[in-house]
Amino acid sequence: MAVDFKDYYQSLGVSEDASAADIKKAFRKLARKYHPDVAKDKSTAEAKFKEINEAYEVLSDPEKRQKYDTLGADWDNPNAGQGFSQGAAGGFQAGGEDFSFSGTGFSDFFEQYFSSGSRYGGSAYESYSAPRGGGARRGHDIEGDILVTLEESMQGAVRSISMQTANRQTGKTETTTFQVRIPLGVKDGQRIRVPGHGSSGTGGAPDGDLYLRVRHAAHPEFTSNQSDLYHELDIAPWEAVLGSKHEVPSLDGPIKIRIPEGAENGQQMRIRQRGLPIGKSGERGDLYIVLNITTPDEITTEQRKLWEQLRDSDASTNSN
């Protein structure tokens, strides 16, 4: 099953020597534009959102980015990417079958080279052959990735997945489509079991299972840690010193908060029960506002005088 190369730098609109900060900035700008909840043209936005998420998934991770750069223009050379954990061309191999998916949010190129899950489950490293004496053998389990938005985790969802299976012995290819339920409050790294969608069993034994490892889609406003969410809020130095009021986003809508006087850089403000659901318990994680004290890129002559007055005042106070 052939795969198409993905130019992740082009997807984010950055150069190959872009810094980590530039990559994050480019992603956040595009994510705000194409996020399915805010985009005007939702039909094209969803595909674009998945594309930039996949690109950011690779380029924001130093190890994955290094591997991607190693592939380079020679990516389709049979010897390219040696040392990668590769599966079938375009998906996975288990037993005597090749697998590829659509509907998971990741391309075949990503699944082949950058999937976070193991390629095989059970004893899938064994060569494919019928058991001696005609005995039965359960099919191998397989594992892939599925991109889940924070909004889907917040509400739960149902995803339609198509799987193409090619039998290397017979040459036959079969495509099946099935529904996968995204559990309420599903966490990053959690696995969703889809029974009976692994490789085929032999001798009348059952088929293996498919395990989809959840990857939370990168969000322009939040990062997740288990059921907690984190939002970075930039504040000016005088806001940190004097205190201030701000409106911050949450998955439920905007929230008004007060920054206390004397706030410090990196300080976290906790808003209880505004994170992701914790299963069906009715409880939720928390939302943490992380304060980033920023300085202006440019200042006017008048502003400079005010900063100098503040400096001189502070020096005078400390000398007494």
Side-chain angles (χ1 to χ4, degrees):
M1 302 178 186
V3 300
D4 294 324
F5 177 74
K6 297 294 182 181
D7 190 333
Y8 293 141
Y9 291 105
Q10 185 179 55
S11 295
L12 293 182
V14 297
S15 64
E16 294 184 6
D17 59 354
S19 67
D22 290 337
I23 289 172
K24 182 177 182 179
K25 182 179 179 180
F27 166 76
R28 294 185 69 177
K29 180 179 179 179
L30 291 171
R32 288 192 177 101
K33 179 179 179 180
Y34 291 107
H35 194 284
D37 283 357
V38 298
K40 296 180 179 179
D41 187 353
K42 296 187 182 299
S43 59
T44 58
E46 184 176 356
K48 183 65 176 179
F49 186 70
K50 292 176 180 177
E51 176 188 330
I52 61 177
N53 247 280
E54 180 175 313
Y56 187 67
E57 172 80 15
V58 173
L59 298 185
S60 65
D61 184 306
E63 184 178 351
K64 288 180 181 177
R65 183 179 181 180
Q66 183 179 14
K67 289 182 177 181
Y68 179 74
D69 291 341
T70 299
L71 280 175
D74 199 33
W75 73 276
D76 58 350
N77 185 303
N79 296 320
Q82 288 185 351
F84 284 70
S85 175
Q86 298 182 23
F92 310 100
Q93 294 178 337
E97 297 168 317
D98 295 341
F99 300 88
S100 65
F101 302 96
S102 62
T104 62
F106 289 108
S107 70
D108 287 342
F109 179 79
F110 178 91
E111 293 287 10
Q112 178 168 341
Y113 291 106
F114 301 104
S115 176
S116 65
S118 60
R119 289 294 173 183
Y120 314 106
S123 56
Y125 282 111
E126 300 172 6
S127 61
Y128 181 81
S129 61
R132 294 183 180 180
R137 185 175 65 185
R138 180 184 179 278
H140 303 300
D141 295 336
I142 59 175
E143 184 173 307
D145 287 317
I146 185 168
L147 189 69
V148 175
T149 65
L150 295 180
E151 288 77 10
E152 287 177 315
S153 178
M154 181 73 176
Q155 302 170 6
V158 175
R159 185 81 62 81
S160 180
I161 304 292
S162 292
M163 181 171 69
Q164 189 177 56
T165 306
N167 188 299
R168 294 199 299 276
Q169 287 190 335
T170 65
K172 293 182 179 181
T173 300
E174 178 182 2
T175 300
T176 57
T177 301
F178 47 91
Q179 303 295 309
V180 173
R181 185 178 66 85
I182 309 298
L184 186 72
V186 68
K187 301 178 180 65
D188 188 76
Q190 185 175 331
R191 296 196 309 169
I192 300 173
R193 176 174 173 261
V194 188
H197 284 283
S199 70
S200 302
T202 59
D207 296 340
D209 298 331
L210 167 64
Y211 289 89
L212 294 173
R213 184 183 298 270
V214 171
R215 299 306 304 266
H216 278 171
H219 195 283
E221 302 294 347
F222 309 106
T223 56
S224 65
N225 182 10
Q226 295 296 307
S227 297
D228 295 330
L229 296 177
Y230 293 78
H231 171 73
E232 295 183 5
L233 177 64
D234 293 339
I235 61 174
W238 52 89
E239 291 179 310
V241 174
L242 303 175
S244 59
K245 296 179 180 179
H246 286 268
E247 188 175 84
V248 296
S250 79
L251 291 178
D252 303 295
I255 302 174
K256 293 181 179 179
I257 65 170
R258 180 187 294 274
I259 307 298
E261 294 183 9
E264 298 182 357
N265 188 55
Q267 182 176 333
Q268 296 184 1
M269 300 182 61
R270 180 183 183 186
I271 305 176
R272 295 179 181 275
Q273 296 289 309
R274 288 303 184 103
L276 296 174
I278 302 175
K280 298 180 180 180
S281 67
E283 296 292 314
R284 292 174 58 177
D286 299 325
L287 171 62
Y288 290 87
I289 307 302
V290 183
L291 303 181
N292 292 328
I293 301 176
T294 61
T295 56
D297 295 330
E298 298 180 359
I299 57 176
T300 65
T301 301
E302 182 180 357
Q303 289 171 334
R304 175 175 290 278
K305 290 180 179 179
L306 292 172
W307 280 108
E308 289 173 346
Q309 290 176 15
L310 179 62
R311 178 197 62 193
D312 295 342
S313 173
D314 182 67
S316 175
T317 300
N318 290 334
S319 63
N320 293 332

